Amino acid sequence: MTDPRLARTTPAPKPGIVHLGPGAFFRAFNAVFTEDAMAHTPGDWGIIAVSLKSPTARDQLAPQEGVFTSVTLAPDGPSDRVIGAICGILVAPENPGAVVDAMAAPQTRIVSLTITEKGYCHAPATGRLDLSHPDIAHDLAGGAPRSAPGFLVAALAQRHKAGQPGFTVMSCDNLPDNGALTRQIVLDFARARDPDLARWIADTVAFPATMVDRITPATIPDDIARLAKRTGYNDPACVQHEPFRQWVIEDHFPQGRPAWDAVGAHCVASVAAHETMKLRCLNGTHSTLAYLGYLAGYDTIAQTVANPAFARLCQYLWQHEILPTVPQPEGEDLTAYAAALLTRYANPAIKHRTWQIAMDGSQKLPQRILATISDNHAANRPCPGLALAVAGWMRYVGGIDEKGAPITVKDPLAELLRRTSDSAKTTADKVRALLAVEQVFDPALACNTTFQSQLISAYSDLTAHGAQNSVERFLHNIAIFQPDI
Ligand code: CS2
């Protein structure tokens, strides 16, 4: 007998937020915070969740009227909680007009986004909208929108025309200065369409920056089966996440916001230092572990850091190459923050696949690792550990693992990167060819000769000895040549 489907037992809240990108992270984070905030301070902050691409989230959520289970995976066992904050679900390609109408409706005071790095359709090196992106070119040609910038501008245009104030646009993606970046791409799009509208947006619409953090691996069928065994219901929309959560929000919401600050979020004047801390310390080592761990044959982050060499590599990176570049965020003990990360990674209940984190590296590397390297170079500090991480990425996007088997590289630049890697025969040529990919590498960094030779030597090590031995050799060399480390 199949288990009954999870069903809504409390009335859905009235909408106040439209959210683009209803994936696992949004459900484990924004939806839970908003549910908590409405329980603390009642208000109409129900969320209309919008898929920009696939109907999967709708197909999972709609039969259960938007409710889903948030499963907290502590090392000593799971706890389950049903979340009811989602009050509507739309699939943009099926009905783009309904999405624009929902965003333009006067009760929508916030449009939030978790659309991943590539959803911003920007050139990561410049932070400007990529006008040649196929979805942007399509949207600018006047068709029903497909892209996030296209939807935001179409809905803001409707509000402007109706004499309504704009909604607040809140990015919750792992991008540096995500508020300013979102504002820039929206203004770039609006200017290309209607300069008056662009001026109105620039003058009146708020784009607060946020730093978001909760490790949320993709849900797999086993998770759904285990939940059914515990609860007796079937919930394909469930999400699994760690107990930890941290949300730092630039407090600029002219149309109001839920009482997120009353339930654990920090609403502050500037999130920049927190954002740098999180992107470089957490996401930087996550990506390092993803590429080197995957190449070494590890399926998950917890398995990777269970190997003492990989754990030690993280500690070395935080202490010597990452933290020296991070400004002090208010109220944070940076050393304790980094130490706690290792405990979070080691949580055996969290099966976060190295392959999942390795996805879209071309969009992630600049803010997670390359900016840190550039800052170190500017201060004349060597950073061979981060060079090893970048060499790991270079090996990975070459598309062949250490056993000679193909890697399924998921990245908008996968084909270009593979072609670039294949076009060169020697290690040095491969490294130089990949460094010339300007969508990823700032030319100033790419032509730094110290960086080039560190990369060439790390790449040769990876090819000759494999990732596992290369990490061990790296730590051994550091101990000999820099004994104070
Ligand atoms: C991860 C992040 O998938 C990835 O690239 O590094 O999603 C990470 O788990 C979150 O940023 C944690 O808050």
Side-chain angles (χ1 to χ4, degrees), residues 105-128:
Q107 69 268 22
T108 299
R109 282 150 290 158
I110 297 172
V111 174
S112 50
L113 300 90
T114 51
I115 53 176
T116 80
E117 294 85 349
K118 60 179 181 287
Y120 290 78
C121 308
H122 70 302
T126 60
R128 303 300 295 258

Side-chain angles (χ1 to χ4, degrees), residues 56-71:
T56 310
R58 188 271 316 277
D59 294 347
Q60 294 166 339
L61 285 161
Q64 357 186 124
E65 293 177 73
V67 294
F68 64 92
T69 315
S70 147
V71 180

Side-chain angles (χ1 to χ4, degrees), residues 47-395:
I47 307 171
I48 298 177
V50 177
S51 281
L52 288 178
K53 299 234 157 6
S54 103
T56 310
R58 188 271 316 277
D59 294 347
Q60 294 166 339
L61 285 161
Q64 357 186 124
E65 293 177 73
V67 294
F68 64 92
T69 315
S70 147
V71 180
T72 303
L73 294 172
D76 58 354
S79 57
D80 310 316
R81 176 177 169 201
V82 174
I83 301 294
I86 298 177
C87 61
I89 307 140
L90 298 168
V91 181
E94 289 176 7
N95 193 348
V99 174
V100 175
D101 288 347
M103 292 163 83
Q107 69 268 22
T108 299
R109 282 150 290 158
I110 297 172
V111 174
S112 50
L113 300 90
T114 51
I115 53 176
T116 80
E117 294 85 349
K118 60 179 181 287
Y120 290 78
C121 308
H122 70 302
T126 60
R128 303 300 295 258
L129 186 68
D130 176 3
L131 294 168
S132 66
H133 188 292
D135 289 349
I136 297 299
H138 167 273
D139 291 1
L140 281 173
R146 280 183 190 160
S147 69
F151 275 107
L152 287 165
V153 174
L156 286 168
Q158 211 160 296
R159 302 261 293 222
H160 181 41
K161 201 165 152 212
Q164 298 277 346
F167 42 74
T168 299
V169 183
M170 179 179 69
S171 164
C172 296
D173 282 294
N174 288 314
L175 286 159
D177 220 344
N178 53 13
L181 176 89
T182 310
R183 181 175 191 271
Q184 185 65 64
I185 56 135
V186 166
L187 289 179
D188 283 345
F189 188 101
R191 273 189 209 110
R193 240 187 77 171
D194 173 356
D196 281 343
L197 174 66
R199 258 189 302 278
W200 177 77
I201 295 174
D203 291 347
T204 65
V205 177
F207 293 84
T210 66
M211 180 274 248
V212 296
D213 188 8
R214 173 166 262 185
I215 292 175
T216 308
T219 301
I220 55 171
D222 259 11
D223 298 324
I224 300 167
R226 268 196 296 267
L227 175 66
K229 218 164 161 201
R230 288 198 300 276
T231 61
Y233 62 68
N234 173 30
D235 175 8
C238 69
V239 285
Q240 337 291 307
H241 53 77
E242 62 174 340
F244 181 92
R245 65 177 190 178
Q246 186 178 19
W247 198 4
V248 188
I249 306 172
E250 186 186 335
D251 204 1
H252 185 35
F253 292 82
Q255 313 303 319
R257 60 163 169 78
W260 291 315
D261 54 330
V263 294
H266 296 281
C267 293
V268 298
S270 164
V271 306
H274 279 96
E275 186 76 58
T276 307
M277 169 187 83
K278 196 257 170 170
L279 278 171
R280 294 188 180 188
C281 294
L282 192 158
N283 298 114
T285 51
H286 239 188
S287 290
T288 302
L289 293 169
Y291 299 115
L292 295 173
Y294 182 95
L295 291 170
Y298 293 114
D299 189 38
T300 68
I301 293 292
Q303 287 167 357
T304 311
V305 295
N307 176 327
F310 284 88
R312 179 82 192 95
L313 176 67
C314 290
Q315 286 164 327
Y316 160 81
L317 288 175
W318 287 318
Q319 191 180 348
H320 298 284
E321 301 193 13
I322 299 177
L323 286 178
T325 74
V326 174
Q328 176 62 50
E330 214 183 300
E332 289 286 349
D333 173 343
L334 285 171
T335 313
Y337 176 81
L341 287 179
L342 205 49
T343 312
R344 292 171 61 193
Y345 293 173
N347 181 345
I350 300 277
K351 300 199 172 30
H352 206 179
R353 296 187 66 201
T354 47
W355 181 82
Q356 186 190 344
I357 299 166
M359 256 191 296
D360 294 343
S362 68
Q363 316 291 301
K364 293 174 174 173
L365 234 54
Q367 60 275 11
R368 293 181 176 206
I369 296 180
L370 303 179
T372 316
I373 295 177
S374 295
D375 284 0
N376 276 317
H377 285 165
N380 271 324
R381 274 187 306 259
C383 40
L386 290 173
L388 176 61
V390 177
W393 171 78
M394 288 181 162
R395 278 280 287 162

